[in-house]
Amino acid sequence: MITDDDLPPEDPAAALRLIDEQRATAARQFEPDPRAYYWPWGLAWLIGFGLHFLYYSPGDAPLVEMPSWLPLTTLFVLLAAAGAVTAMAGARAYGQVTGDSARRGAWYGWSWGLGFLSLFVLAGRLSDSLPPDLVGLLWSAFAVGLTGILHMAGGAIWLDRPLFLLGVGITVVNLLGTVAGPGWHALVVSVAGGGGMLLAGMLGWLRRRGRQ
């Protein structure tokens, strides 16, 4: 039995408002929690690059004694874990999306994977020709630079201003840290980059909560 509540509004303005409300509700259902997207990366950068700074400090000796393999290994383990967490969050949010949006998301995901695979191969080939402090800077600057570029690309694809601006901020932080040199790059990326990711996640969550 059809009731009055099941009929479309007679007022065109009310109908448009109803369409906008339904569209916003659908967007919230398919939008992943910003905390699940940004916080794993923020923590990975804060901890991983923090260890880099403590070992590859600007001085002649590490600020904290630790095995030479620990900073880079910790960083890549945390980055892999962050990638897994965000991939699961994206799969839950967009698993039922089809068409061009699904294709765009899949291609963007492949861009991340192939981009970092290329980075590993290239940095691995160059590492043997550099002193240890520059090896750390090479891997860090490449990884952060690629992350910033891919964030800007994602913002351009989905017309997401906060995501694009985050990519710009990451790129600026990476350039400043690279110019400052080994040790300082890790500190800048750990504090400004990791902290910026954590802040972006919180602001995105608050903005999403405000729309509900």
PDB file of all heavy atoms in Angstrom, residues 107-123 139 142-143 145-147 149-150:
ATOM      1  N   TRP A 107      42.555   2.095 -10.576  1.00  0.00           N
ATOM      2  CA  TRP A 107      43.744   2.596 -11.277  1.00  0.00           C
ATOM      3  C   TRP A 107      44.612   3.436 -10.353  1.00  0.00           C
ATOM      4  O   TRP A 107      45.843   3.394 -10.420  1.00  0.00           O
ATOM      5  CB  TRP A 107      43.319   3.408 -12.498  1.00  0.00           C
ATOM      6  CG  TRP A 107      42.731   2.579 -13.595  1.00  0.00           C
ATOM      7  CD1 TRP A 107      42.599   1.218 -13.608  1.00  0.00           C
ATOM      8  CD2 TRP A 107      42.199   3.049 -14.825  1.00  0.00           C
ATOM      9  NE1 TRP A 107      42.008   0.809 -14.778  1.00  0.00           N
ATOM     10  CE2 TRP A 107      41.750   1.913 -15.546  1.00  0.00           C
ATOM     11  CE3 TRP A 107      42.024   4.308 -15.391  1.00  0.00           C
ATOM     12  CZ2 TRP A 107      41.162   2.011 -16.800  1.00  0.00           C
ATOM     13  CZ3 TRP A 107      41.435   4.405 -16.651  1.00  0.00           C
ATOM     14  CH2 TRP A 107      41.016   3.279 -17.346  1.00  0.00           C
ATOM     15  N   TYR A 108      43.962   4.202  -9.497  1.00  0.00           N
ATOM     16  CA  TYR A 108      44.718   5.015  -8.547  1.00  0.00           C
ATOM     17  C   TYR A 108      45.476   4.123  -7.572  1.00  0.00           C
ATOM     18  O   TYR A 108      46.636   4.388  -7.230  1.00  0.00           O
ATOM     19  CB  TYR A 108      43.753   5.934  -7.794  1.00  0.00           C
ATOM     20  CG  TYR A 108      44.426   6.900  -6.841  1.00  0.00           C
ATOM     21  CD1 TYR A 108      45.365   7.821  -7.299  1.00  0.00           C
ATOM     22  CD2 TYR A 108      44.095   6.906  -5.491  1.00  0.00           C
ATOM     23  CE1 TYR A 108      45.965   8.720  -6.432  1.00  0.00           C
ATOM     24  CE2 TYR A 108      44.689   7.799  -4.615  1.00  0.00           C
ATOM     25  CZ  TYR A 108      45.619   8.699  -5.098  1.00  0.00           C
ATOM     26  OH  TYR A 108      46.213   9.589  -4.230  1.00  0.00           O
ATOM     27  N   GLY A 109      44.851   3.037  -7.132  1.00  0.00           N
ATOM     28  CA  GLY A 109      45.538   2.086  -6.261  1.00  0.00           C
ATOM     29  C   GLY A 109      46.736   1.445  -6.941  1.00  0.00           C
ATOM     30  O   GLY A 109      47.803   1.278  -6.341  1.00  0.00           O
ATOM     31  N   TRP A 110      46.582   1.074  -8.213  1.00  0.00           N
ATOM     32  CA  TRP A 110      47.713   0.515  -8.965  1.00  0.00           C
ATOM     33  C   TRP A 110      48.832   1.531  -9.115  1.00  0.00           C
ATOM     34  O   TRP A 110      50.021   1.175  -9.138  1.00  0.00           O
ATOM     35  CB  TRP A 110      47.238   0.049 -10.336  1.00  0.00           C
ATOM     36  CG  TRP A 110      46.627  -1.318 -10.321  1.00  0.00           C
ATOM     37  CD1 TRP A 110      45.305  -1.643 -10.429  1.00  0.00           C
ATOM     38  CD2 TRP A 110      47.321  -2.564 -10.178  1.00  0.00           C
ATOM     39  NE1 TRP A 110      45.127  -2.990 -10.363  1.00  0.00           N
ATOM     40  CE2 TRP A 110      46.340  -3.586 -10.208  1.00  0.00           C
ATOM     41  CE3 TRP A 110      48.655  -2.910 -10.017  1.00  0.00           C
ATOM     42  CZ2 TRP A 110      46.686  -4.933 -10.088  1.00  0.00           C
ATOM     43  CZ3 TRP A 110      48.982  -4.250  -9.901  1.00  0.00           C
ATOM     44  CH2 TRP A 110      48.010  -5.246  -9.935  1.00  0.00           C
ATOM     45  N   SER A 111      48.488   2.808  -9.216  1.00  0.00           N
ATOM     46  CA  SER A 111      49.515   3.850  -9.316  1.00  0.00           C
ATOM     47  C   SER A 111      50.377   3.883  -8.067  1.00  0.00           C
ATOM     48  O   SER A 111      51.606   4.037  -8.148  1.00  0.00           O
ATOM     49  CB  SER A 111      48.859   5.222  -9.529  1.00  0.00           C
ATOM     50  OG  SER A 111      48.108   5.257 -10.732  1.00  0.00           O
ATOM     51  N   TRP A 112      49.762   3.717  -6.903  1.00  0.00           N
ATOM     52  CA  TRP A 112      50.524   3.663  -5.655  1.00  0.00           C
ATOM     53  C   TRP A 112      51.464   2.466  -5.658  1.00  0.00           C
ATOM     54  O   TRP A 112      52.660   2.589  -5.355  1.00  0.00           O
ATOM     55  CB  TRP A 112      49.568   3.571  -4.463  1.00  0.00           C
ATOM     56  CG  TRP A 112      49.048   4.881  -3.996  1.00  0.00           C
ATOM     57  CD1 TRP A 112      47.976   5.562  -4.492  1.00  0.00           C
ATOM     58  CD2 TRP A 112      49.560   5.686  -2.930  1.00  0.00           C
ATOM     59  NE1 TRP A 112      47.792   6.735  -3.806  1.00  0.00           N
ATOM     60  CE2 TRP A 112      48.744   6.830  -2.839  1.00  0.00           C
ATOM     61  CE3 TRP A 112      50.617   5.541  -2.033  1.00  0.00           C
ATOM     62  CZ2 TRP A 112      48.954   7.833  -1.897  1.00  0.00           C
ATOM     63  CZ3 TRP A 112      50.838   6.529  -1.093  1.00  0.00           C
ATOM     64  CH2 TRP A 112      50.011   7.675  -1.027  1.00  0.00           C
ATOM     65  N   GLY A 113      50.923   1.299  -5.988  1.00  0.00           N
ATOM     66  CA  GLY A 113      51.742   0.087  -5.943  1.00  0.00           C
ATOM     67  C   GLY A 113      52.904   0.127  -6.909  1.00  0.00           C
ATOM     68  O   GLY A 113      54.059  -0.149  -6.540  1.00  0.00           O
ATOM     69  N   LEU A 114      52.633   0.481  -8.161  1.00  0.00           N
ATOM     70  CA  LEU A 114      53.691   0.512  -9.172  1.00  0.00           C
ATOM     71  C   LEU A 114      54.670   1.653  -8.910  1.00  0.00           C
ATOM     72  O   LEU A 114      55.868   1.533  -9.188  1.00  0.00           O
ATOM     73  CB  LEU A 114      53.075   0.652 -10.557  1.00  0.00           C
ATOM     74  CG  LEU A 114      52.280  -0.568 -11.043  1.00  0.00           C
ATOM     75  CD1 LEU A 114      51.613  -0.278 -12.388  1.00  0.00           C
ATOM     76  CD2 LEU A 114      53.176  -1.790 -11.154  1.00  0.00           C
ATOM     77  N   GLY A 115      54.159   2.760  -8.385  1.00  0.00           N
ATOM     78  CA  GLY A 115      55.041   3.879  -8.070  1.00  0.00           C
ATOM     79  C   GLY A 115      56.063   3.516  -7.012  1.00  0.00           C
ATOM     80  O   GLY A 115      57.260   3.796  -7.152  1.00  0.00           O
ATOM     81  N   PHE A 116      55.627   2.860  -5.947  1.00  0.00           N
ATOM     82  CA  PHE A 116      56.561   2.487  -4.891  1.00  0.00           C
ATOM     83  C   PHE A 116      57.457   1.321  -5.313  1.00  0.00           C
ATOM     84  O   PHE A 116      58.605   1.237  -4.872  1.00  0.00           O
ATOM     85  CB  PHE A 116      55.805   2.156  -3.604  1.00  0.00           C
ATOM     86  CG  PHE A 116      55.538   3.366  -2.758  1.00  0.00           C
ATOM     87  CD1 PHE A 116      54.352   4.061  -2.874  1.00  0.00           C
ATOM     88  CD2 PHE A 116      56.496   3.825  -1.877  1.00  0.00           C
ATOM     89  CE1 PHE A 116      54.110   5.191  -2.105  1.00  0.00           C
ATOM     90  CE2 PHE A 116      56.270   4.955  -1.095  1.00  0.00           C
ATOM     91  CZ  PHE A 116      55.072   5.640  -1.213  1.00  0.00           C
ATOM     92  N   LEU A 117      56.957   0.444  -6.174  1.00  0.00           N
ATOM     93  CA  LEU A 117      57.825  -0.611  -6.699  1.00  0.00           C
ATOM     94  C   LEU A 117      58.962   0.003  -7.514  1.00  0.00           C
ATOM     95  O   LEU A 117      60.129  -0.401  -7.383  1.00  0.00           O
ATOM     96  CB  LEU A 117      57.013  -1.573  -7.557  1.00  0.00           C
ATOM     97  CG  LEU A 117      57.807  -2.700  -8.233  1.00  0.00           C
ATOM     98  CD1 LEU A 117      58.493  -3.575  -7.194  1.00  0.00           C
ATOM     99  CD2 LEU A 117      56.890  -3.521  -9.141  1.00  0.00           C
ATOM    100  N   SER A 118      58.640   0.997  -8.334  1.00  0.00           N
ATOM    101  CA  SER A 118      59.667   1.692  -9.108  1.00  0.00           C
ATOM    102  C   SER A 118      60.657   2.397  -8.196  1.00  0.00           C
ATOM    103  O   SER A 118      61.871   2.404  -8.450  1.00  0.00           O
ATOM    104  CB  SER A 118      59.015   2.712 -10.056  1.00  0.00           C
ATOM    105  OG  SER A 118      58.117   2.086 -10.953  1.00  0.00           O
ATOM    106  N   LEU A 119      60.135   2.978  -7.116  1.00  0.00           N
ATOM    107  CA  LEU A 119      61.008   3.663  -6.158  1.00  0.00           C
ATOM    108  C   LEU A 119      62.001   2.684  -5.535  1.00  0.00           C
ATOM    109  O   LEU A 119      63.198   2.981  -5.441  1.00  0.00           O
ATOM    110  CB  LEU A 119      60.150   4.309  -5.077  1.00  0.00           C
ATOM    111  CG  LEU A 119      60.824   5.133  -3.980  1.00  0.00           C
ATOM    112  CD1 LEU A 119      59.834   6.164  -3.446  1.00  0.00           C
ATOM    113  CD2 LEU A 119      61.275   4.247  -2.805  1.00  0.00           C
ATOM    114  N   PHE A 120      61.521   1.521  -5.105  1.00  0.00           N
ATOM    115  CA  PHE A 120      62.400   0.539  -4.473  1.00  0.00           C
ATOM    116  C   PHE A 120      63.513   0.097  -5.420  1.00  0.00           C
ATOM    117  O   PHE A 120      64.674  -0.022  -5.024  1.00  0.00           O
ATOM    118  CB  PHE A 120      61.592  -0.672  -4.022  1.00  0.00           C
ATOM    119  CG  PHE A 120      60.616  -0.383  -2.923  1.00  0.00           C
ATOM    120  CD1 PHE A 120      59.461  -1.138  -2.785  1.00  0.00           C
ATOM    121  CD2 PHE A 120      60.843   0.653  -2.028  1.00  0.00           C
ATOM    122  CE1 PHE A 120      58.554  -0.864  -1.777  1.00  0.00           C
ATOM    123  CE2 PHE A 120      59.950   0.936  -1.016  1.00  0.00           C
ATOM    124  CZ  PHE A 120      58.794   0.168  -0.893  1.00  0.00           C
ATOM    125  N   VAL A 121      63.138  -0.138  -6.685  1.00  0.00           N
ATOM    126  CA  VAL A 121      64.135  -0.603  -7.654  1.00  0.00           C
ATOM    127  C   VAL A 121      65.173   0.486  -7.905  1.00  0.00           C
ATOM    128  O   VAL A 121      66.398   0.227  -7.890  1.00  0.00           O
ATOM    129  CB  VAL A 121      63.452  -1.027  -8.964  1.00  0.00           C
ATOM    130  CG1 VAL A 121      64.502  -1.359 -10.033  1.00  0.00           C
ATOM    131  CG2 VAL A 121      62.553  -2.246  -8.727  1.00  0.00           C
ATOM    132  N   LEU A 122      64.717   1.706  -8.132  1.00  0.00           N
ATOM    133  CA  LEU A 122      65.637   2.798  -8.440  1.00  0.00           C
ATOM    134  C   LEU A 122      66.533   3.136  -7.246  1.00  0.00           C
ATOM    135  O   LEU A 122      67.757   3.241  -7.383  1.00  0.00           O
ATOM    136  CB  LEU A 122      64.841   4.037  -8.853  1.00  0.00           C
ATOM    137  CG  LEU A 122      65.651   5.306  -9.163  1.00  0.00           C
ATOM    138  CD1 LEU A 122      66.631   5.051 -10.299  1.00  0.00           C
ATOM    139  CD2 LEU A 122      64.720   6.465  -9.503  1.00  0.00           C
ATOM    140  N   ALA A 123      65.925   3.291  -6.062  1.00  0.00           N
ATOM    141  CA  ALA A 123      66.722   3.629  -4.879  1.00  0.00           C
ATOM    142  C   ALA A 123      67.673   2.500  -4.531  1.00  0.00           C
ATOM    143  O   ALA A 123      68.798   2.742  -4.066  1.00  0.00           O
ATOM    144  CB  ALA A 123      65.798   3.942  -3.704  1.00  0.00           C
ATOM    145  N   TRP A 139      66.230   7.355   0.196  1.00  0.00           N
ATOM    146  CA  TRP A 139      65.005   6.575   0.365  1.00  0.00           C
ATOM    147  C   TRP A 139      63.881   7.425   0.951  1.00  0.00           C
ATOM    148  O   TRP A 139      62.730   7.359   0.488  1.00  0.00           O
ATOM    149  CB  TRP A 139      65.274   5.379   1.273  1.00  0.00           C
ATOM    150  CG  TRP A 139      66.004   4.263   0.606  1.00  0.00           C
ATOM    151  CD1 TRP A 139      67.361   4.110   0.509  1.00  0.00           C
ATOM    152  CD2 TRP A 139      65.431   3.141  -0.062  1.00  0.00           C
ATOM    153  NE1 TRP A 139      67.666   2.957  -0.173  1.00  0.00           N
ATOM    154  CE2 TRP A 139      66.505   2.331  -0.536  1.00  0.00           C
ATOM    155  CE3 TRP A 139      64.129   2.722  -0.296  1.00  0.00           C
ATOM    156  CZ2 TRP A 139      66.294   1.157  -1.229  1.00  0.00           C
ATOM    157  CZ3 TRP A 139      63.910   1.537  -0.982  1.00  0.00           C
ATOM    158  CH2 TRP A 139      64.980   0.766  -1.448  1.00  0.00           C
ATOM    159  N   PHE A 142      62.628  10.174  -1.625  1.00  0.00           N
ATOM    160  CA  PHE A 142      61.878   9.548  -2.713  1.00  0.00           C
ATOM    161  C   PHE A 142      60.492   9.122  -2.239  1.00  0.00           C
ATOM    162  O   PHE A 142      59.481   9.360  -2.913  1.00  0.00           O
ATOM    163  CB  PHE A 142      62.637   8.338  -3.254  1.00  0.00           C
ATOM    164  CG  PHE A 142      63.632   8.672  -4.329  1.00  0.00           C
ATOM    165  CD1 PHE A 142      64.054   9.969  -4.534  1.00  0.00           C
ATOM    166  CD2 PHE A 142      64.162   7.679  -5.145  1.00  0.00           C
ATOM    167  CE1 PHE A 142      64.972  10.286  -5.526  1.00  0.00           C
ATOM    168  CE2 PHE A 142      65.081   7.980  -6.146  1.00  0.00           C
ATOM    169  CZ  PHE A 142      65.495   9.287  -6.325  1.00  0.00           C
ATOM    170  N   ALA A 143      60.434   8.448  -1.076  1.00  0.00           N
ATOM    171  CA  ALA A 143      59.156   7.930  -0.577  1.00  0.00           C
ATOM    172  C   ALA A 143      58.188   9.071  -0.251  1.00  0.00           C
ATOM    173  O   ALA A 143      57.006   9.019  -0.623  1.00  0.00           O
ATOM    174  CB  ALA A 143      59.390   7.064   0.652  1.00  0.00           C
ATOM    175  N   GLY A 145      58.350  12.196  -1.370  1.00  0.00           N
ATOM    176  CA  GLY A 145      58.022  12.927  -2.590  1.00  0.00           C
ATOM    177  C   GLY A 145      56.947  12.234  -3.403  1.00  0.00           C
ATOM    178  O   GLY A 145      56.003  12.875  -3.893  1.00  0.00           O
ATOM    179  N   LEU A 146      57.059  10.910  -3.548  1.00  0.00           N
ATOM    180  CA  LEU A 146      56.051  10.158  -4.299  1.00  0.00           C
ATOM    181  C   LEU A 146      54.703  10.214  -3.589  1.00  0.00           C
ATOM    182  O   LEU A 146      53.650  10.344  -4.240  1.00  0.00           O
ATOM    183  CB  LEU A 146      56.507   8.711  -4.467  1.00  0.00           C
ATOM    184  CG  LEU A 146      55.560   7.783  -5.234  1.00  0.00           C
ATOM    185  CD1 LEU A 146      55.294   8.309  -6.635  1.00  0.00           C
ATOM    186  CD2 LEU A 146      56.127   6.369  -5.291  1.00  0.00           C
ATOM    187  N   THR A 147      54.716  10.152  -2.263  1.00  0.00           N
ATOM    188  CA  THR A 147      53.468  10.242  -1.505  1.00  0.00           C
ATOM    189  C   THR A 147      52.775  11.580  -1.741  1.00  0.00           C
ATOM    190  O   THR A 147      51.553  11.635  -1.940  1.00  0.00           O
ATOM    191  CB  THR A 147      53.745  10.055  -0.005  1.00  0.00           C
ATOM    192  OG1 THR A 147      54.339   8.773   0.205  1.00  0.00           O
ATOM    193  CG2 THR A 147      52.467  10.146   0.803  1.00  0.00           C
ATOM    194  N   ILE A 149      53.071  13.596  -4.341  1.00  0.00           N
ATOM    195  CA  ILE A 149      52.580  13.670  -5.723  1.00  0.00           C
ATOM    196  C   ILE A 149      51.296  12.867  -5.890  1.00  0.00           C
ATOM    197  O   ILE A 149      50.330  13.315  -6.524  1.00  0.00           O
ATOM    198  CB  ILE A 149      53.666  13.170  -6.685  1.00  0.00           C
ATOM    199  CG1 ILE A 149      54.831  14.164  -6.718  1.00  0.00           C
ATOM    200  CG2 ILE A 149      53.104  12.980  -8.096  1.00  0.00           C
ATOM    201  CD1 ILE A 149      56.039  13.671  -7.481  1.00  0.00           C
ATOM    202  N   LEU A 150      51.260  11.658  -5.307  1.00  0.00           N
ATOM    203  CA  LEU A 150      50.072  10.820  -5.447  1.00  0.00           C
ATOM    204  C   LEU A 150      48.879  11.414  -4.698  1.00  0.00           C
ATOM    205  O   LEU A 150      47.733  11.251  -5.136  1.00  0.00           O
ATOM    206  CB  LEU A 150      50.374   9.412  -4.947  1.00  0.00           C
ATOM    207  CG  LEU A 150      51.302   8.598  -5.853  1.00  0.00           C
ATOM    208  CD1 LEU A 150      51.706   7.290  -5.188  1.00  0.00           C
ATOM    209  CD2 LEU A 150      50.619   8.304  -7.191  1.00  0.00           C
TER     210      LEU A 150
END
